[in-house]
Amino acid sequence: MSGARHIAFEERSKGTIEVEVDYVVVGSGAGGAAAAVTLARGGAEVAIVEAGAWRDGEHYPYSAYGSMRDLMDDWGSTVAVGRAFWPVVQARTMGGTTVINSAICVRTPDDIFAQWEKERGIGGLRDRVLAHQERIERELSVEEVPPAARGRSNLLAMKGAEGLGWDSHYMRRYVKGCEGTGQCLQGCRKLRKQSTNLNYVPETIARGGTVLSCAPVSRVVLEGTRAIGVRGHFVHPQTRAKGAVFFVRARKGVFVAASVTHTPVLLARSGVKSKMIGEQFRAHPGTGVFGCYDEPVDMNVGATQGWASTQFRKEPGLKLETLAIPPELVASRLTGAGVELMKRLAEYRHIAMWCHAVRAESVGTVRPAPFSDKPMVKYGLDRADMERFRQGMILLAKQHFAAGAKAIIPGIQGMPYKLTADQVGLLDDAPLDPKKYIAILSHLFGGAIMGRDPASAVVDGSGRVHGYQGLMVADASVIPSNLGVNPQHTIMGLASVFAEDALAA
């Protein structure tokens, strides 16, 4: 097929849809879009193949329910199985998770590059990645959350941090003129958040590329050890019915950027041989603490996430940040039912949610689920990480009280529903059983990690799969360590470097 630029769902009656390009990129999120646009700017003909649908801003949902239905991967039903079942947050839509995240921009810390060189034998990335990150910041209009969009929750967080003498800041985000509508989780209907469906994907099309949507890839097609394309079925975004077969032939190479959960599964299903596929899964487990205030906070007025502190990144290993969630998700975090739950929800306007992300040292695995094409994540926190987890809750509680909260809602099974300032010490003995907490996994890493030695890595320092030709990985699955900061900027920087290296090969 020639001349097509965006091919959406095609009915089964269409037979096989075939496209031929120089490079095919699986996934349109931070890694996939950054790789695709770099390749296109280098003169290559590129196809982006995205499992999810393309939705414009006016079609973004208003509710969390709608976000799970329209934008999340399989209704957000992927969970990490361990001592507890914790949800994994990922999108399935054009633009990937950049559509539903808070667009937080943090440059890769210098100690990470040093760690990769020492432990993985991967050097020479720092200057190249940082140069791309500077460019990306210009192109995606990175700005500090403006005063008019900060909202009271973020202002209170800054007040609490200053009262405790913490080093903190208002976030820098890929947002152009944030209006503070608090809709990041549902997709920014104001189109202020610079998700990749608004910039790098359209630019790739404008440079002669082709985009397939509603097109989950079932396998990378190999001829011997050379990747020659990808194959799959279109899937209807509402009925989930299978449509036509598609085959995208790649004259020069395939970039897999399907996410930390899907990339290892796709590689394994395609017959790629490496004992490290699916190994070294890492994440930022986290939870929130509600602060209850006398005056209304209205946490969904203002930037969804606008304040952060990385003071505790190295010791004990935490990132603290604000997070506003809509009423239906707040209800899921409050104990009780019926009249009691309604009474507690009546306090919604007066509560602020601040959360921690643990720089966990625990590792897990990603495998194909039995009798399914879905990923199966096995992951749990060891005692040291659970102690970090508890310490994060203690810090957030102290911050709320320093900001003037009259009480906190810790959300820990077996503890009082609310704690006052003189009861914070009870958190020192909070349980270390992960089943006692309502938590999520965000900021995922690993599963196809990079390293010089094929015995301990899936890809090399250019994202090339060891032992294969024309097969690259360009998402967070290559990251071999827990960054301790939001990973989108690192993902985009690495993907840009890998695409440059492919063009130069």
Side-chain angles (χ1 to χ4, degrees), residues 218 430 483:
S218 60
L483 302 181

Side-chain angles (χ1 to χ4, degrees), residues 152-153 155-160 289-298 347-354 396-409 418:
R152 190 153 187 258
S153 178
L155 295 174
L156 285 169
M158 181 63 77
K159 177 183 176 182
V289 173
F290 291 117
C292 307
Y293 293 82
D294 286 325
E295 299 297 321
V297 175
D298 292 326
E347 199 174 5
Y348 175 75
R349 293 191 60 204
H350 291 259
I351 62 177
M353 181 179 174
W354 305 340
L396 292 171
K398 291 179 177 178
Q399 184 185 6
H400 273 301
F401 289 122
K406 62 182 181 181
I408 63 159
I409 303 173
K418 283 186 178 181

Side-chain angles (χ1 to χ4, degrees), residues 332-401:
S332 71
R333 300 183 65 92
L334 304 181
T335 58
V339 174
E340 183 65 25
L341 179 58
M342 292 301 101
K343 287 180 180 178
R344 290 173 174 177
L345 270 176
E347 199 174 5
Y348 175 75
R349 293 191 60 204
H350 291 259
I351 62 177
M353 181 179 174
W354 305 340
C355 57
H356 67 65
V358 179
R359 190 184 181 189
E361 296 180 358
S362 303
V363 296
T365 61
V366 182
R367 298 281 188 265
F371 313 110
S372 170
D373 60 356
K374 301 182 186 305
M376 180 175 64
V377 180
K378 290 187 176 181
Y379 179 77
L381 296 187
D382 62 19
R383 182 179 179 87
D385 281 332
M386 282 306 304
E387 288 176 349
R388 293 184 182 94
F389 194 99
R390 181 171 63 186
Q391 183 62 29
M393 303 199 74
I394 294 170
L395 291 171
L396 292 171
K398 291 179 177 178
Q399 184 185 6
H400 273 301
F401 289 122

Side-chain angles (χ1 to χ4, degrees), residues 419-478:
L419 298 176
T420 54
D422 60 344
Q423 297 175 302
V424 170
L426 294 177
L427 291 173
D428 293 337
D429 296 316
L432 296 178
D433 182 352
K435 294 191 293 292
K436 304 293 186 182
Y437 297 85
I438 302 172
I440 62 169
L441 297 186
S442 61
H443 308 160
L444 313 180
F445 314 97
I449 62 172
M450 63 180 173
R452 179 177 295 178
D453 184 359
S456 61
V458 177
V459 305
D460 66 12
S462 293
R464 297 172 296 212
V465 176
H466 287 295
Y468 291 81
Q469 294 79 49
L471 181 58
M472 285 70 66
V473 178
D475 59 20
S477 60
V478 307

Side-chain angles (χ1 to χ4, degrees), residues 66-86:
S67 181
M68 288 188 287
R69 179 195 62 211
D70 296 343
L71 304 176
M72 298 288 190
D73 184 19
D74 202 21
W75 283 78
S77 63
T78 302
V79 296
V81 179
R83 292 169 58 199
F85 295 87
W86 284 356

Side-chain angles (χ1 to χ4, degrees), residues 215-219 230-234 244-247:
V217 171
S218 60
R219 66 189 301 110
V230 301
R231 185 181 297 276
H233 283 268
F234 288 97
V245 172
F246 63 83
F247 173 53

